[in-house]
Amino acid sequence: MSKERVIEIQHLSKSFGNNEVLKDINFSVNKGEVVCIIGSSGSGKSTLLRCINMLEKPDGGKIIYKGKNILQEGHDIYKYRAKLGMVFQQFNLFKNHNALSNCVVGQVKVLGRSEEEAKEVAMKYLKVVGMENYIHAKPRQLSGGQQQRIAIARALSMEPDVMLFDEPTSALDPEMVGEVLKVMKELANTGLTMLIVTHEMGFAREVADRVVFMDKGVIAEEGTPEEIFNNPKEERTKEFLKRILNEDLD
Amino acid sequence: MSLEWLIRIATNYWPMFLRGAWITLLISIVGTVVGFIIGLCVGVIKTIPLPEKGSKRIFLKTINGLLSAYIEFFRGTPMIVQSMVFYYGTALVFDIHIDRLLAAMIIVSVNTGAYMSEIVRGGISSIDKGQFEAAHAIGMNHVQTMTNVVLPQVVRNILPATGNEFVINIKDTSVLNVISVTELYFQTKTIAGNNFRYTEAFFITSIIYFVMTFTVTRILRAFERKLDGPENYNMLGNQMQVAIPKKLD
Ligand SMILES: Nc1ncnc2c1ncn2[C@@H]1O[C@H](COP(=O)(O)OP(=O)(O)OP(=O)(O)O)[C@@H](O)[C@H]1O
Ligand SMILES: [Mg+2]
């Protein structure tokens, strides 16, 4: 695997009031790599993802993309964001657009693609997520799993350099988790660069090239799934895994 | 009230009633449409996120302050008083005699705009934050987010409130008789005065007002349903070649 870095984060910090949510975060995502972020609730996983695409403004540090620090004044964050695909826990499909048009509108308005080209691209990715038969459906007419698959297609349609997922299956009924994870596994196999916040340990173990464990705003440990799940070095990683595996057994 | 007079006034004066009703409708339509557009613009400006510092922040804050003053003033004073101030004021201060009908349209538009601004602002803040975030995450700026994602939803949501404003305008244009606009109330006053038959003339007018407001309400309801589109979507069959529709939505 090539070691070309898509995104590199240096000394990133973020506070909400006096709540220090991210402290001196350093890590990078390489091209074609699938990185899973795990950690207990409130450890700052979502905030990290949201800082990476600037939905939250970091207080300090650097985010290096294509050799440039995007936190520098005057950087075109709209262009940058278009290069990162984001999939939310709550899907957030545009309610006023149908499935196809959800995947088209960004391409046309942001990337300046023609309507025709955008539709072709959208159809390609709607097929990838198995939703090509639902192009006329409005979000409210679809199940959670279907909405999330369209949300993935919408992000893919922008042909981003990296896809960010924030607990994409946490808001889904159990029987729909599988269909979304299946799509994500397929995407991982195509060599797409993915950064995934997840509570699905089985999934992380199976698809991740690297697992990052976050605790109280810092990266406590990172390594291959083998290292993290079978031989965790840090005490808090062990505790977290024990807790979460017990939950899964309940 | 006598039936004889009712019929006599109706048959003799129907062109005047009709003309009055038309002017009332015209002022209300223009006032509601222009007011709606004013409301959208003000609502969008008032929801631009304030930059953290710099001259842009001061500029935006000043604009917001002025817009708030506009809204408060026009919501806090009667339209009948606004019409007098505007119509006679422009004559006095600028020495221009503005056309009465035009003056009426301006008054109703600006007045409706003040109410619509608040309705739009409320509409925008009731849109799920996730809609903004998804639009931003895809790379849209404030204006693109508003025009492609937020405002279409806001417009749909505030349609009932807009219809309400329209109905209010149909009724409230009657106050414009103070600047002698020949709307329905003014016409009726003239007809009634000529014949000394107030009850009959205004009874006919009450029916005309009701027919107008009732019809408008029905038309808007139908329009709302049409905007919502079909309850069901057509699923494309598996065997079928998947056709790409020409038009979105
Ligand atoms: N907009 C905000 N304003 C204030 N505090 C916030 C905000 N967003 C997050 N926080 C706080 O930051 C901390 C980290 O939140 P974050 O959502 O990043 O955690 P998380 O690891 O994603 O948790 P979960 O697994 O529950 O999603 C929490 O203490 C949370 O209360
Ligand atoms: Mg989270």
Side-chain angles (χ1 to χ4, degrees):
Chain A
M1 192 181 298
S2 67
K3 271 282 178 184
E4 187 192 333
R5 281 181 177 164
V6 181
I7 284 179
E8 185 174 351
I9 287 157
Q10 298 174 353
H11 309 295
L12 193 81
S13 64
K14 171 75 187 172
S15 304
F16 292 109
N18 54 14
N19 182 8
E20 225 186 330
V21 176
L22 296 179
K23 303 164 206 167
D24 194 28
I25 300 279
N26 295 287
F27 91 108
S28 54
V29 183
N30 298 323
K31 192 163 181 217
E33 199 180 22
V34 176
V35 180
C36 283
I37 303 179
I38 61 171
S40 49
S41 186
S43 55
K45 306 180 298 295
S46 297
T47 307
L48 174 58
L49 226 54
R50 293 165 57 81
C51 279
I52 290 176
N53 73 358
M54 300 287 284
L55 287 178
E56 302 288 355
K57 201 171 176 301
D59 297 332
K62 288 181 180 171
I63 299 175
I64 313 280
Y65 168 76
K66 296 224 159 124
K68 289 215 185 81
N69 177 15
I70 57 126
L71 294 182
Q72 229 151 31
E73 200 86 21
H75 199 95
D76 185 348
I77 66 163
Y78 301 108
K79 257 206 188 120
Y80 164 71
R81 277 177 179 154
K83 283 280 147 211
L84 311 184
M86 177 83 172
V87 176
F88 299 86
Q89 190 173 343
Q90 300 296 341
F91 334 132
N92 295 343
L93 286 181
F94 303 136
K95 290 181 188 157
N96 56 318
H97 292 275
N98 65 24
L100 178 62
S101 138
N102 256 284
C103 301
V104 166
V105 64
Q107 297 185 60
V108 173
K109 304 292 173 183
V110 178
L111 302 180
R113 287 183 184 155
S114 74
E115 198 68 27
E116 220 118 287
E117 187 192 355
K119 275 179 192 160
E120 243 162 67
V121 174
M123 285 310 292
K124 175 172 140 198
Y125 290 108
L126 282 164
K127 272 181 202 152
V128 168
V129 301
M131 287 300 291
E132 73 274 22
N133 292 340
Y134 294 85
I135 55 177
H136 298 300
K138 284 277 175 81
R140 66 182 147 86
Q141 297 165 320
L142 296 167
S143 75
Q146 292 173 326
Q147 288 189 52
Q148 192 62 298
R149 285 190 279 151
I150 290 168
I152 292 172
R154 172 177 68 181
L156 289 171
S157 296
M158 300 293 286
E159 302 187 313
D161 289 338
V162 52
M163 288 280 285
L164 313 177
F165 295 81
D166 189 4
E167 295 189 35
T169 58
S170 291
L172 295 176
D173 290 337
E175 66 264 33
M176 290 166 192
V177 171
E179 63 186 71
V180 172
L181 291 184
K182 182 167 160 274
V183 165
M184 289 174 65
K185 274 179 208 165
E186 284 163 12
L187 290 175
N189 289 334
T190 63
L192 187 69
T193 313
M194 296 160 87
L195 179 57
I196 306 166
V197 172
T198 185
H199 282 301
E200 300 284 339
M201 295 304 142
F203 170 78
R205 187 194 286 263
E206 191 182 331
V207 304
D209 297 308
R210 191 149 50 92
V211 176
V212 172
F213 170 64
M214 279 187 73
D215 184 54
K216 300 197 180 82
V218 298
I219 293 178
E221 188 169 352
E222 65 175 295
T224 61
E226 175 78 8
E227 285 164 350
I228 297 289
F229 290 113
N230 298 348
N231 302 302
K233 290 191 193 70
E234 299 283 326
E235 208 45 51
R236 30 191 183 169
T237 318
K238 286 178 196 163
E239 265 166 44
F240 169 77
L241 288 171
K242 206 191 269 170
R243 212 170 50 236
I244 235 178
L245 293 176
N246 281 340
E247 265 171 34
D248 281 354
L249 290 179
D250 287 344
Chain B
M1 186 161 84
S2 80
L3 186 64
E4 201 196 327
W5 269 104
L6 262 183
I7 294 167
R8 190 189 286 175
I9 287 182
T11 43
N12 287 345
Y13 292 97
W14 66 265
M16 260 181 96
F17 281 116
L18 215 59
R19 168 132 188 95
W22 161 242
I23 297 292
T24 288
L25 208 54
L26 185 65
I27 297 171
S28 311
I29 291 174
V30 172
T32 309
V33 170
V34 177
F36 184 75
I37 294 166
I38 294 175
L40 281 184
C41 297
V42 174
V44 169
I45 294 171
K46 289 201 85 171
T47 49
I48 297 176
L50 277 180
E52 268 159 41
K53 50 188 181 279
S55 55
K56 244 176 127 182
R57 181 184 168 91
I58 298 166
F59 177 72
L60 205 56
K61 274 201 135 171
T62 315
I63 298 276
N64 280 344
L66 290 174
L67 292 176
S68 297
Y70 153 64
I71 294 169
E72 294 301 332
F73 180 78
F74 279 89
R75 293 206 313 170
T77 53
M79 192 158 76
I80 193 165
V81 176
Q82 294 161 16
S83 338
M84 297 295 273
V85 172
F86 180 69
Y87 185 68
Y88 293 105
T90 47
L92 192 73
V93 178
F94 303 106
D95 198 29
I96 41 166
H97 280 276
I98 187 168
D99 177 65
R100 289 169 200 278
L101 182 62
L102 182 66
M105 287 174 175
I106 293 173
I107 289 290
V108 178
S109 301
V110 174
N111 193 283
T112 310
Y115 283 93
M116 288 307 302
S117 301
E118 285 299 282
I119 294 170
V120 170
R121 201 174 58 97
I124 292 174
S125 57
S126 73
I127 298 292
D128 178 14
K129 231 179 102 221
Q131 298 284 304
F132 291 84
E133 292 194 338
H136 290 154
I138 238 173
M140 290 186 185
N141 58 30
H142 183 70
V143 173
Q144 288 171 330
T145 303
M146 281 294 165
T147 52
N148 294 300
V149 177
V150 177
L151 288 185
Q153 296 180 48
V154 170
V155 167
R156 170 62 194 90
N157 292 347
I158 66 171
L159 217 53
T162 310
N164 202 28
E165 283 299 314
F166 193 2
V167 167
I168 289 173
N169 280 342
I170 290 175
K171 295 188 292 178
D172 283 5
T173 44
S174 56
V175 306
L176 295 165
N177 81 86
V178 295
I179 57 169
S180 306
V181 181
T182 57
E183 43 71 50
L184 184 55
Y185 180 88
F186 184 87
Q187 297 286 64
T188 315
K189 224 171 53 171
T190 312
I191 297 166
N194 287 348
N195 297 282
F196 297 105
R197 302 304 292 195
Y198 284 85
T199 318
E200 287 83 357
F202 278 101
F203 181 72
I204 293 171
T205 290
S206 70
I207 292 172
I208 300 177
Y209 272 120
F210 179 73
V211 168
M212 286 200 289
T213 54
F214 188 77
T215 315
V216 162
T217 314
R218 290 297 128 135
I219 291 174
L220 282 169
R221 287 265 165 77
F223 183 58
E224 276 169 39
R225 273 199 300 274
K226 189 159 184 284
L227 272 192
D228 285 343
E231 266 315 301
N232 304 305
Y233 53 88
N234 292 323
M235 206 177 122
L236 302 179
N238 287 323
Q239 315 88 325
M240 236 163 54
Q241 179 73 32
V242 173
I244 300 175
K246 283 258 141 46
K247 215 176 150 286
L248 293 176
D249 276 320

